[in-house]
Amino acid sequence: MSLFSEQQPLAELGDRLRNAGYVTAEFFSDIIHAACRPLPSVIQNARAARIERLIQSQAWTDAALALIDLELPQWHVRRLAYDDGEWYCALSRQRELPDWIDQPIETRHADLALAILSAFVEAQRISSTSSRTSVPAVPQHANPHYEPVCSDNFA
């Protein structure tokens, strides 16, 4: 799968989040399916079950924060603020840094849960591109015909 095809759904999801007026269970499920990876461990299954309960309870903000905690443990909420009819959400990898040094993800929306989910999708997009290197990976298995030879002349 190419990097572009991985990024396209997240970009489209970001557009849907910006244009959405409110959160529904179906929309939240779409976000999870598009932006999250499968989680096999028992601990993560318990956390995923908690998120499912929060979605069923329509606790959108708590579910969005739990989703960040589950999927992006290296990211933390740096700031949540309400100003002039919009919620602002900033996620950061290093929230202890001063504002002028840190490079947080900042999103805004009229709905708090959608502002948090927008930041989550953007962090997921950035994390997936930063995990890829610009240098191709070297195969980890050696050629069976390869034999190391010392060619230094120690005489």
Side-chain angles (χ1 to χ4, degrees), residues 33-89:
H33 291 300
C36 299
R37 64 192 186 286
L39 303 169
S41 80
V42 174
I43 294 172
Q44 291 176 336
N45 281 339
R47 289 173 152 183
R50 177 176 178 259
I51 292 171
E52 186 65 33
R53 286 192 309 272
L54 290 169
I55 292 171
Q56 289 173 354
S57 302
Q58 296 182 356
W60 309 125
T61 303
D62 291 335
L65 292 171
L67 188 61
I68 291 171
D69 185 44
L70 175 67
E71 281 291 311
L72 300 169
Q74 71 277 16
W75 290 87
H76 305 282
V77 175
R78 182 176 182 94
R79 180 176 46 253
L80 284 175
Y82 183 76
D83 186 30
D84 199 27
E86 287 190 316
W87 284 97
Y88 292 83
C89 178

Side-chain angles (χ1 to χ4, degrees), residues 14 17-18 105 107-109 113-123:
L17 281 163
R18 279 187 289 282
I105 293 172
T107 59
R108 61 189 174 124
H109 199 282
L114 289 173
I116 296 169
L117 288 170
S118 295
F120 165 74
V121 168
E122 185 64 19

Side-chain angles (χ1 to χ4, degrees), residues 74 76 78 92-98 102:
Q74 71 277 16
H76 305 282
R78 182 176 182 94
S92 175
R93 287 186 178 151
Q94 300 173 351
R95 63 180 171 191
E96 289 79 22
L97 290 176
D102 193 18

